[in-house]
Amino acid sequence: MRIIVAGWLRFAGDEKTCAEIIVGGADHIAAAREEAGCTAYNWAVDPLEPGQMHVYEEWDSEEALLQHFADPPYADMRSHLERYELTGFHVQIYTAAGIEPVYAEDGWPRKEIFGVTLAGA
């Protein structure tokens, strides 16, 4: 089952602090992307909340994510982040039972998702 990790981390400072964290963490991001079962891994500066960074990950399975947590690159990434003052965070793990594209073949958002159609559409 596909696993998604998503949320935010807030650090003392501003968007420059988050940009510094992300640029300095590029090797950690790249290492995670190389791990077995990782299909997406990204950190991004929030454009509206100074000092806030978003994280997004996709893993092929629970086992792949658990292995990521046990591997040295994860410990290295945590060490990198711990050099900055964390003032809050909210990161969750989600399961995805199905995957469908957002856009139809005509390039417009789909009118039906997982068999559900918007009333009146």
Side-chain angles (χ1 to χ4, degrees):
M1 179 176 304
R2 178 72 48 107
I3 302 295
I4 296 170
V5 177
W8 53 264
L9 302 153
R10 189 172 299 123
F11 296 91
D14 57 19
E15 63 277 353
K16 290 179 184 175
T17 302
C18 287
E20 178 183 313
I21 292 168
I22 293 168
V23 169
D27 289 344
H28 306 297
I29 294 167
R33 288 178 178 179
E34 293 297 318
E35 290 183 55
C38 181
T39 57
Y41 196 100
N42 195 41
W43 300 349
V45 173
D46 188 304
L48 303 177
E49 295 292 332
Q52 189 160 293
M53 169 176 104
H54 291 272
V55 298
Y56 179 82
E57 306 171 25
E58 285 185 39
W59 298 88
D60 287 338
S61 66
E62 294 92 331
E63 293 82 10
L65 179 57
L66 289 169
Q67 186 61 55
H68 167 65
F69 291 154
D71 286 343
Y74 180 79
D76 294 343
M77 178 270 305
R78 290 210 35 138
S79 293
H80 169 69
L81 293 177
E82 288 168 356
R83 291 187 291 172
Y84 299 88
E85 183 183 347
L86 183 68
T87 60
F89 67 94
H90 182 79
V91 180
Q92 303 287 344
I93 298 172
Y94 303 88
T95 61
I99 299 171
E100 291 190 3
V102 172
Y103 299 100
E105 289 183 18
D106 62 5
W108 289 94
R110 297 176 41 185
K111 300 199 180 334
E112 179 183 296
I113 301 171
F114 298 113
V116 175
T117 303
L118 179 64

